[in-house]
Amino acid sequence: MRKKIVAGNWKMNTTVAEGVELAKAVAAKSVEVPAGVDLVVAPPFTHLVCVADALKGSKVALSAQNCADHEKGAYTGEVAVNMLTSVGCEYTILGHSERRQYYGETDEKLVVKTKLALEAGIKVILCVGENLDEREAGKHFEVVKNQTEAVLYTLTAEQLKSIVVAYEPVWAIGTGKTATAAQAEEIHACIRKVIAAKFGEEAAEEVTILYGGSCKPSNAKELFAEKDIDGGLIGGAALKADDFIQIALSF
Ligand code: PGA
């Protein structure tokens, strides 16, 4: 049985003190979430040490939002994977559309980052998703297929086991517009097919595929009811512990 995961992407929000408070609230409420659902929070880099401490003893795992494409050295402003493991990060998000769009994150860079993270023992939440123009041009399947193949097809079957895919249609992120459950499901099923084409049906069945893009307590149940939707990558609604936990209770 593949894992169900609800992950909170805090993006560039909260001060350290606010982040610790949020993490403590999530950790406290996480006891309500059944054992079969994993919880992850991804605060900004500056918060990781303190948030790790706030999460101690809870079932909530820690994630980064990005990592460097080099192991160490003269890369001012970057954060390396061994720094992430040293503060207890179990996951990192990679390839979020905001990074692809505003910071020139290419598939080639994502291959490098993904391998560095996996080699360091960090699981990767790889984001894929089309923008509005691509959807309107009917290219959404093609875009998502290409983004998925570009990274996952460079991995071994063993490495695939440490990958979570997050489908996040760019037009649904932070806009209040959610993909319908049917729209999300057809892309999730397509991602699973793309994975199966290289790694086989059985391996593809084991990969957790999250939906992201204005996922909230009011729509999570419908989305999570779909066969290939195994949870969510939550932005705005992850900044409120109650909403985040409510989403995790929507399976
Ligand atoms: P949103 O963001 O839930 O605020 O739309 C999701 C994401 O970008 O991960």
Side-chain angles (χ1 to χ4, degrees), residues 20 27 30 41 56 69 77 87 94 105 111 115 120 135 157 169 177-178 235 250:
V20 166
S30 68
V41 293
K56 231 175 234 152
D69 55 347
V87 296
L94 286 177
E105 192 110 290
V111 169
K115 289 191 174 166
R135 170 145 300 249
K177 265 194 223 166
T178 323
S250 301

Side-chain angles (χ1 to χ4, degrees), residues 68-81:
D69 55 347
H70 293 276
E71 244 170 305
K72 64 174 181 174
Y75 301 100
T76 302
E78 291 294 309
V79 176
V81 286

Side-chain angles (χ1 to χ4, degrees), residues 167 180-190 223 226-229:
Y167 168 57
T180 63
Q183 276 174 326
E185 170 60 22
E186 63 179 3
I187 299 278
H188 281 234
C190 162
L223 287 158
E226 295 291 340
K227 182 165 98 19
D228 290 292
I229 302 182

Side-chain angles (χ1 to χ4, degrees), residues 18-35:
E18 289 163 351
V20 166
E21 203 179 315
L22 175 57
K24 281 186 180 161
V26 170
K29 289 175 202 293
S30 68
V31 294
E32 298 167 26
V33 177

Side-chain angles (χ1 to χ4, degrees), residues 125-169:
I125 302 173
L126 176 72
C127 303
V128 297
E130 81 285 358
N131 63 33
L132 187 60
D133 287 349
E134 290 161 342
R135 170 145 300 249
E136 284 176 347
K139 291 191 176 147
H140 39 296
F141 288 107
E142 184 190 329
V143 168
V144 169
K145 178 175 184 276
N146 289 343
Q147 289 175 339
T148 305
E149 286 181 359
V151 178
L152 298 195
Y153 280 22
T154 69
L155 304 180
T156 64
E158 195 51 37
Q159 287 175 319
L160 181 74
K161 293 179 184 163
S162 299
I163 296 283
V164 172
V165 179
Y167 168 57
E168 300 205 305

Side-chain angles (χ1 to χ4, degrees), residues 9 11 96 98 168 172-175 212-215 233-237:
N9 175 10
K11 307 192 180 183
H96 191 281
E98 286 147 19
E168 300 205 305
I173 295 177
T175 58
S214 299
C215 184
L233 180 55
I234 319 298

